[in-house]
Amino acid sequence: MSSDLHPPKREVFDVPALTNTDNKGFIRPVEEYRRTDFGLYMSRTADHPRFSHLESWLLPSLGLRASIFHFVEGYRTGQRLYLDVGRFTGPDAEGRWHSEDWYLDLVDLPGSPLDLIDIDEIFDARVAGLLTTLQCEQAVLIATRALVGAAAHDDDVQAWLDAEVGEKMTWLDRT
């Protein structure tokens, strides 16, 4: 079993307060929230040594959180989207959205098939009782749908996401 085993990562996206409470309990200011029929967009700065800005779309019907990390020079060049698999819900009665990460992740390097990572983590989490068998099955189905969908769109993950949600998902232009 992995030595860095941890409970599922949970975050709160407090739209009225313009904050994002990360999985470690740190409350981060959010520059922009945008709610659509298919999900919630968030854009915020990051005080992280590897990236300076984070954009995310919570996509409840797909069981995905699609993110763009704006990495600092020389770190993870070429990575476009990072997809977290899990449960994403909202808004609740207070206007907040919630996420629960189910360990599996997909990494998008344009021109290549999606890379499914952290498979060992989901197995370790199941053995440790941190996820149910049903949650693990759902995570595998979500990841498989993304892998097959992106492949059907010539490995263009963004094209697949746009087709799934029924409109073009917009991101910051930080070039």
Side-chain angles (χ1 to χ4, degrees):
M1 209 175 297
S2 173
S3 63
D4 58 347
L5 185 63
H6 57 81
K9 294 177 181 175
R10 292 176 174 87
E11 291 188 47
V12 177
F13 302 81
D14 191 331
V15 176
L18 281 175
T19 62
N20 168 222
T21 305
D22 71 15
N23 61 300
K24 295 178 181 156
F26 294 108
I27 300 173
R28 314 282 184 185
V30 171
E31 291 179 356
E32 178 185 0
Y33 275 122
R34 187 178 338 128
R35 188 172 164 198
T36 67
D37 290 339
F38 60 83
L40 180 71
Y41 170 81
M42 178 194 72
S43 174
R44 69 169 175 82
T45 58
D47 57 349
H48 196 278
R50 295 183 197 135
F51 59 95
S52 60
H53 201 91
L54 171 64
E55 295 179 79
S56 290
W57 274 102
L58 302 184
L59 304 167
S61 69
L62 298 179
L64 294 171
R65 174 183 181 175
S67 297
I68 294 177
F69 294 89
H70 295 273
F71 290 108
V72 297
E73 181 83 23
Y75 191 79
R76 289 202 184 171
T77 56
Q79 178 178 309
R80 168 73 175 144
L81 294 174
Y82 192 92
L83 304 176
D84 293 293
V85 171
R87 179 176 38 227
F88 306 93
T89 60
D92 64 14
E94 288 81 33
R96 297 175 303 206
W97 290 58
H98 302 269
S99 71
E100 181 178 80
D101 186 317
W102 289 343
Y103 303 93
L104 289 181
D105 299 305
L106 299 130
V107 179
D108 172 34
L109 298 169
S112 301
L114 274 173
D115 186 17
L116 177 62
I117 62 171
D118 298 334
I119 299 165
D120 58 328
E121 288 186 21
I122 196 169
F123 284 124
D124 290 347
R126 177 62 198 112
V127 169
L130 298 172
L131 286 182
T132 66
T133 299
L134 179 59
Q135 288 170 315
C136 292
E137 289 173 0
Q138 289 174 335
V140 169
L141 291 172
I142 291 165
T144 301
R145 181 178 180 195
L147 289 162
V148 171
H153 284 81
D154 297 321
D155 296 319
D156 185 337
V157 179
Q158 189 64 64
W160 172 70
L161 287 170
D162 291 346
E164 287 296 306
V165 301
E167 65 183 83
K168 183 164 179 46
M169 294 169 50
T170 57
W171 303 91
L172 290 177
D173 180 13
R174 298 181 65 86
T175 56

